[in-house]
Every structure is written in C-alpha cells, then in structure tokens.
C-alpha cells in the first residue's frame, strides 16, 4: 500500500513539473495534479485486481483523457495542454529504456520482446485517448443536434 502511495505521489510531482515546463500555471496545475494522481490510481486498481497492464493503461488513459476533455471545457484551455501532463505517469519509461538498451547492446531477441511490450503499452494509451476524444465529440454533436431540433419544434 505504501508503495502505491509513493508511486502516485511521484507521478503527481512529475506531472506538475512537466506542466510547469510547458508554462502552465494557476489553477490548471491543481487539475493536472488531481488528474494524474487519479489516473495512476485507476491503473493501480486495475492491475491489483488482475486485469493486466493493457487494461490498466487503457482504463487510466481513458479516464485521464475524459477528465482532460472536461477540465479543458471548464478552464477554457486546449485539451492537449491538460492531457499531456496528466498522462506522464502512464508513459512506459522503464520499458522504453530497456528496449533501447537491448538495441544498443545488439541483443535483438531482448529488443524484440521489449519493443513488443512498449508497443502494446503505447497502443493501450492511444486507444484510451482516441476513445475519450471520440466520445467527447459525439456527446458535443448530440447536444447540438438535440438543441437545434428542440428549438426548431418549440
């Protein structure tokens, strides 16, 4: 349990530091801190309940992307400004390191296995982001459609 709290705290610190590097200040930082911490908590919950890394990363990125869509509307800021720093804890840094290490050392079997893992993790993250973006656009278009047709008939 203590390890999970430390991991979440480090992820939040990394996300906020990355956001400051991007030039994000004011109340957006608190949204980013909360979003990245909750996103990592979603990942840890999924993995702890036996769903595996792919489902964990997919659920975490879906949650974070949805939260960034929502917070961007509330704060009137671009979604990408909220999304990228919130996703920092989900980036598979260790696996990327080992993939490149195997490549540099010319251990091609290890490189193949590690690169498969990295591509799987990146695919899960990308799928979550795409699905959240699609759902946000669908709901926005549905709202516009309903408003137009409700106003037309009233």
């Amino acid at each position: 349990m203590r390890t999970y709290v430390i991991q979440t705290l480090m992820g939040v610190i990394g996300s906020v530091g990355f956001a400051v590097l991007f030039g994000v200040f004011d109340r957006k930082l608190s949204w980013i801190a909360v979003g990245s911490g909750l996103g990592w908590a979603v990942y840890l919950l999924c993995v702890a309940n036996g769903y595996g890394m792919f489902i964990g990363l997919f659920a975490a990125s879906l949650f974070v992307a949805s939260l960034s869509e929502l917070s961007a509307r509330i704060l009137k800021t671009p979604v990408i400004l909220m999304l990228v720093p919130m996703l920092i804890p989900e980036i598979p840094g260790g696996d990327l390191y080992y993939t490149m290490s195997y490549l540099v050392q010319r251990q091609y079997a290890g490189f193949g296995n590690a690169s498969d893992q990295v591509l799987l993790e990146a695919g899960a993250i990308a799928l979550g982001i795409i699905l959240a973006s699609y759902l946000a656009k669908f709901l926005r278009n549905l709202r516009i459609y309903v408003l137009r047709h409700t106003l037309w008939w009233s």
Side-chain angles (χ1 to χ4, degrees):
M1 181 67 176
R2 184 176 181 187
T3 307
Y4 293 158
V5 172
I6 292 172
Q7 285 180 11
T8 305
L9 184 62
M10 291 298 113
V12 167
I13 291 170
S15 293
V16 169
F18 201 82
V20 169
L21 186 65
F22 269 177
V24 178
F25 295 104
D26 60 25
R27 63 185 183 150
K28 294 180 192 95
L29 283 178
S30 60
W31 278 89
I32 289 169
V34 169
S36 64
L38 289 176
W40 188 249
V42 167
Y43 170 75
L44 290 175
L45 278 171
C46 289
V47 171
N49 287 320
Y51 289 111
M53 189 181 312
F54 181 84
I55 298 296
L57 283 172
F58 171 72
S61 65
L62 180 64
F63 175 79
V64 166
S66 300
L67 185 62
S68 66
E69 290 276 350
L70 179 67
S71 64
R73 305 276 181 293
I74 292 170
L75 299 172
K76 296 181 179 22
T77 189
V79 174
I80 194 80
L81 190 70
M82 303 300 289
L83 178 64
V84 171
M86 281 188 201
L87 280 176
I88 291 300
E90 282 87 32
I91 303 299
D95 292 333
L96 282 169
Y97 170 80
Y98 288 116
T99 300
M100 293 311 297
S101 176
Y102 287 135
L103 181 63
V104 170
Q105 294 173 7
R106 296 183 181 172
Q107 297 177 1
Y108 298 118
F111 170 74
N113 293 333
S115 63
D116 285 347
Q117 183 68 26
V118 168
L119 289 174
L120 185 70
E121 293 167 355
I125 293 169
L127 191 61
I129 294 168
I130 290 167
L131 184 60
S133 177
Y134 172 76
L135 287 174
K137 189 171 185 172
F138 175 76
L139 291 174
R140 191 170 39 249
N141 288 341
L142 182 65
R143 181 177 159 256
I144 290 169
Y145 177 81
V146 168
L147 286 175
R148 283 184 183 164
H149 283 74
T150 306
L151 293 175
W152 178 262
W153 294 106
S154 38

